[in-house]
């Protein structure tokens, strides 16, 4: 039996799956937690990867491995290969003002044309601009810029600081893939090249090493133990591979963040900034909308109500669609889409009659999903035509979430069996790099909720969302005036 391994180094944890090359069957797996926070020392990821690999039985009988990881995180290295400062993660919003500056300097439409996306606080380029403007000494030391999966792949290959690695700090050995490179905001999905002018606008100079961009099945090299290492991917692109997603598939993922993304044949350039025109990990494209507020909305409201998830689902299903007019606009952690990094959540439409535990539970689910429904509308606006929605993430198995998804989205919904789809996609990459052929491993279906589109949910959400956006925009303006936007972050589990 030939075994391949896939890794998902996500915001919350490192997950490892080891699969049979021939059938795709999961043979064993492992997991280790990451620290909380919106900035993390990458050494914690390396330690967690080691723990997760050990929990999965190690790599002694594994032939190939690949690493998927959270997108955008800024890992800056000095000339000796040492991490200069903790990595700023995708959900760290302190670079919101830097994003606005970059977009204003280039123009939103021109930036989208050149980099596929309009910069927001999540992207690597904005974090580099923040570093340049706020930590001048650290910025001056930067010799290479990597993303989380790039850095972990480099370490797996045996590279790293002198004294901490066998092969030393060869920065030229850094690699990435097109899916993760497309989230930097200084690489073009359309041309496949870095845009060094955009890099210079971010960091203030071009004389730094950027990872070499590998093709979908191009190996990065081998570990010192001889295990082939695949190119790796951003987490959403990895999930698309793990699901076997093809043209016409739209994936709705409910995790720490919420995402709506589709496999597309053409690159997308959205000057409004709603859709990020990413590349995927198979040679195609991955137009994507992301929200900062997803599964944690549900856990927060469940905790407020003092119930577990089973009772939370029962309460939500006991309420009618529209929650009696109660609407939650769930911008608890600010928001990325729409781009309101300093926004807060708000309840609307509450009356004595509508303020029930059941309505509050349903409003949480409807609000969270309505934000993602707006994401589907945005993806459609750049030319995507879906044949089905694939609902994934930890919350996707909740029966109330499944039922309400069929009411919020006017498209067929399929819920695959639970899985570590980003890690699964990395395992697909490992197999692809090993054999030269992309495997077609089966993905089982857990549920197919009956179509039950209820326009009232989206209609009332849109009405109150407009009010919330107007209020938040005014607050954003005040933040900009007093200058605090350059240092604002959001804490909590990431």
């Amino acid at each position: 039996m030939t075994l391949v391994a896939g890794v998902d180094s996500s915001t919350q944890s490192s997950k490892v799956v080891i699969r049979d090359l021939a059938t795709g069957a999961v043979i064993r797996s492992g997991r280790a937690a990451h620290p909380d926070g919106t900035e993390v020392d990458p050494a914690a990821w390396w330690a967690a990867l080691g723990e997760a690999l050990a929990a999965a039985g190690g790599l002694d009988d594994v032939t190939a491995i690949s690493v998927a990881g959270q997108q955008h995180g800024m890992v800056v290295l000095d000339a000796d290969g040492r991490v200069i400062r903790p990595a700023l993660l995708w959900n760290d919003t302190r670079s919101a003002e830097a994003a606005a500056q970059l977009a204003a300097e280039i123009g939103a439409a021109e930036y989208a044309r050149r980099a596929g996306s309009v910069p927001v606080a999540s992207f690597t380029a904005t974090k580099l601009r923040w570093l340049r403007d706020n930590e001048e000494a650290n910025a001056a030391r930067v010799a290479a810029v990597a993303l989380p999966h790039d850095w972990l792949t480099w370490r797996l290959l045996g590279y790293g600081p002198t004294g901490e690695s066998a092969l030393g700090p060869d920065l030229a050995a850094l690699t990435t893939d097109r899916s993760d490179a497309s989230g930097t905001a200084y690489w073009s999905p359309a041309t496949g090249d870095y845009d060094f002018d955009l890099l210079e606008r971010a960091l203030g100079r071009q004389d730094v090493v950027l990872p070499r961009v590998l093709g979908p099945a191009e190996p990065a090299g081998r570990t010192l133990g001889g295990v082939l290492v695949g190119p790796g991917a951003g987490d959403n692109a990895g999930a698309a591979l793990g699901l076997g997603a093809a043209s016409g598939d739209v994936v709705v993922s409910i995790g720490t963040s919420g995402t709506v993304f589709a496999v597309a044949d053409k690159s997308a350039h959205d000057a409004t900034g709603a859709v990020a025109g990413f590349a995927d990990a198979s040679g195609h494209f991955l137009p994507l909308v992301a929200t900062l507020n997803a599964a944690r909305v549900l856990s927060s409201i469940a905790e407020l109500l003092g119930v577990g998830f089973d009772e939370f689902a029962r309460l939500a299903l006991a309420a009618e669609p529209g929650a009696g007019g109660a609407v939650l606009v769930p911008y608890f952690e600010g928001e990325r889409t729409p781009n309101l990094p300093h926004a807060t959540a708000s309840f609307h439409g509450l009356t004595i009659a509508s303020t029930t535990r059941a309505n509050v539970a349903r409003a949480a689910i409807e609000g969270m999903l309505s934000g993602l429904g707006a994401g589907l509308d945005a993806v459609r606006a750049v030319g995507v035509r879906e044949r089905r929605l694939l609902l994934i993430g930890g919350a996707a198995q909740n029966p109330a979430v499944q039922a309400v998804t069929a009411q919020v989205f006017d498209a067929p919904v399929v819920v695959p069996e639970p899985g570590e789809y980003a890690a699964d996609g990395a395992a697909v990459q490992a197999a692809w790099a090993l054999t030269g052929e992309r495997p077609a491993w089966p993905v089982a279906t857990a549920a197919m909720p009956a179509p039950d589109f209820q326009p009232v949910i989206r209609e009332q959400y849109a009405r109150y969302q407009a009010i919330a956006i107007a209020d938040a925009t005014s607050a954003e303006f005040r933040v900009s005036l007093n200058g605090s936007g350059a240092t604002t972050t959001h804490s909590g589990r990431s």
Side-chain angles (χ1 to χ4, degrees):
M1 180 186 296
T2 300
L3 299 181
V4 295
V7 177
D8 174 20
S9 182
S10 72
T11 321
Q12 294 180 329
S13 61
S14 286
K15 283 89 69 178
V16 174
V17 296
I18 296 176
R19 288 180 169 262
D20 174 26
L21 174 67
T23 67
V26 176
I27 305 302
R28 54 186 194 262
S29 62
R31 183 186 186 103
H34 288 168
D36 290 345
T38 63
E39 64 172 28
V40 172
D41 185 342
W45 302 332
W46 182 236
L49 177 57
E51 293 175 22
L53 284 169
L59 295 178
D60 288 347
D61 56 350
V62 171
T63 306
I65 188 172
S66 197
V67 180
Q70 54 180 303
Q71 286 190 268
H72 313 306
M74 180 192 73
V75 181
V76 284
L77 306 176
D78 66 15
D80 296 322
R82 299 190 182 280
V83 175
I84 294 170
R85 69 162 337 275
L88 297 184
L89 306 190
W90 61 273
N91 55 352
D92 191 299
T93 61
R94 73 185 71 182
S95 60
E97 182 63 23
Q101 292 169 359
L102 287 170
E105 290 169 10
I106 303 292
E110 178 64 7
Y111 214 119
R113 185 189 69 81
R114 290 170 60 175
S117 305
V118 178
V120 294
S122 299
F123 294 168
T124 315
T126 72
K127 300 177 189 306
L128 290 174
R129 171 63 76 92
W130 180 90
L131 185 73
R132 186 200 77 175
D133 292 344
N134 292 273
E135 296 182 358
E136 183 177 351
N138 283 338
R141 291 177 57 201
V142 175
V145 183
L147 301 169
H149 113 253
D150 310 344
W151 185 80
L152 287 168
T153 297
W154 189 64
R155 295 304 310 269
L156 271 175
L157 293 172
Y159 299 102
T162 301
E164 298 178 19
S165 62
L167 300 180
D170 184 357
L171 300 180
L174 284 163
T175 60
T176 190
D177 87 305
R178 57 197 301 276
S179 72
D180 229 2
S182 65
T184 62
Y186 48 78
W187 184 86
S188 169
T191 68
D193 296 317
Y194 285 113
D195 189 321
F196 285 94
D197 174 64
L198 294 181
L199 173 67
E200 184 170 2
R201 285 183 179 273
L203 185 59
R205 55 193 176 89
Q206 298 184 13
D207 60 337
V208 297
V209 174
L210 298 178
R212 180 167 60 93
V213 182
L214 303 176
E218 185 178 357
R222 289 184 180 273
T223 69
L224 297 176
V227 179
L228 187 75
V229 180
D235 49 3
N236 291 302
L241 278 182
L243 288 163
S247 182
D249 287 335
V250 172
V251 180
V252 178
S253 177
I254 308 172
T256 306
S257 63
T259 51
V260 179
F261 55 91
V263 176
D265 297 327
K266 296 180 180 180
S267 60
H269 303 149
D270 180 12
T272 73
V275 178
F278 296 154
D280 82 342
S282 72
H284 296 286
F285 300 92
L286 200 79
L288 178 147
V289 173
T291 64
L292 291 180
N293 298 280
R296 288 165 61 193
V297 174
L298 309 186
S299 59
S300 294
I301 299 302
E303 183 177 354
L304 176 69
L305 295 172
V307 297
F309 282 112
D310 289 343
E311 178 63 11
F312 179 76
R314 189 197 68 76
L315 282 170
L317 290 173
E320 294 295 321
V327 173
L328 172 63
V329 181
Y331 298 162
F332 289 95
E333 297 289 327
E335 192 45 86
R336 169 170 163 173
T337 309
N339 184 23
L340 298 168
H342 308 300
T344 55
S346 52
F347 261 108
H348 301 265
L350 294 176
T351 65
I352 294 296
S354 68
T355 307
T356 67
R357 289 159 56 83
N359 282 335
V360 168
R362 176 174 273 274
I365 298 174
E366 290 183 349
M368 183 266 293
L369 289 173
S370 290
L372 293 170
L376 177 59
D377 293 342
V379 168
R380 287 168 170 167
V382 298
V384 170
R385 295 295 176 264
E386 79 286 345
R387 62 187 177 91
R388 62 175 182 169
L389 302 182
L390 299 171
L391 182 67
I392 65 170
Q397 302 304 315
N398 185 297
V401 171
Q402 294 177 4
V404 177
T405 298
Q407 296 170 341
V408 169
F409 292 91
D410 57 340
V413 177
V414 176
V415 184
E417 287 285 354
E420 297 292 352
Y421 285 109
D424 293 341
V428 168
Q429 272 194 326
W432 198 354
L434 180 67
T435 67
E437 295 183 5
R438 178 178 172 178
W441 296 331
V443 177
T445 297
M448 294 181 66
D452 187 25
F453 182 52
Q454 301 283 337
V456 64
I457 298 173
R458 292 287 305 282
E459 289 168 359
Q460 64 184 25
Y461 180 83
R463 182 166 64 254
Y464 290 118
Q465 182 193 39
I467 297 171
I469 290 174
D471 289 345
T473 301
S474 176
E476 295 289 329
F477 180 70
R478 292 193 298 273
V479 166
S480 178
L481 284 180
N482 67 30
S484 65
T487 58
T488 298
T489 62
H490 291 286
S491 61
R493 185 162 180 79
S494 62

